[in-house]
Amino acid sequence: MIDRRKFLTAALAGAATLVARRAAAAADALPRTVRPPITVYKDPSCGCCKKWVAYMQQAGFTVTAHDDADMDALKDHYGVPSGVRSCHTALVGNYVIEGHVPAPDIDRLLKEQPKVAGLAVPGMVSGSPGMEGGAAKPYTVVAFQKTGSTSTFAAHT
């Protein structure tokens, strides 16, 4: 005679293994987003820049961060207009990312590849990635040209 408890334990273990294998197969079947590496230039003493770098890493980007004491010269070099500047500047693909731009907006930029120099969240808006902790405020991600012209890329409320 079969021990009922042993039989149920074995059946449940087999079912759990089957569910785990099916979940792993389903995850493998999902399309994977291949993201180019991102290079971030930031002031060595800026804590929110470090938080944005950590946010981007958690979002799946491979990030290389460099401390730079002369951020204005760097922003000038990459053509970041003065009206959209923030605390850190990043390079990804052929684009410049200025400030606390959310990862999904960067993904969209890389997918659509519009003819812009980059994206920016001007200033340091509470509630944007890396600026959590205070009362979140609505903010706009702008696409910019090196000439200084901007257009709305995304709005976050």
Side-chain angles (χ1 to χ4, degrees):
M1 189 150 147
I2 298 177
D3 182 338
R4 185 175 165 167
R5 181 173 282 159
K6 287 181 184 177
F7 175 78
L8 288 175
T9 301
L12 288 174
T17 300
L18 180 61
V19 168
R21 285 183 183 159
R22 285 188 178 166
D28 286 341
L30 293 174
R32 297 200 192 283
T33 302
V34 177
R35 293 179 165 136
I38 187 166
T39 303
V40 179
Y41 297 93
K42 63 182 190 58
D43 185 281
S45 62
C46 185
C48 68
C49 296
K50 292 176 187 172
K51 289 180 181 178
W52 188 78
V53 167
Y55 160 81
M56 293 301 290
Q57 290 170 328
Q58 288 174 345
F61 282 88
T62 300
V63 181
T64 303
H66 300 282
D67 290 337
D68 193 322
D70 191 1
M71 291 298 296
D72 284 331
L74 184 105
K75 292 170 192 303
D76 290 343
H77 176 76
Y78 287 109
V80 179
S82 61
V84 302
R85 291 187 180 188
S86 185
C87 54
H88 57 266
T89 302
L91 307 174
V92 61
N94 295 320
Y95 297 102
V96 178
I97 306 298
E98 182 67 14
H100 298 268
V101 177
D105 292 339
I106 296 171
D107 286 336
R108 181 177 147 215
L109 173 77
L110 295 170
K111 180 181 178 186
E112 295 177 3
Q113 296 191 8
K115 294 183 181 192
V116 299
L119 298 180
V121 173
M124 298 171 70
V125 184
S126 181
S128 60
M131 294 293 297
E132 298 88 356
K137 297 180 180 175
Y139 64 96
T140 300
V141 175
V142 296
F144 66 87
Q145 299 292 351
K146 292 180 180 182
T147 61
S149 65
T150 63
S151 59
T152 299
F153 187 80
H156 297 273
T157 56

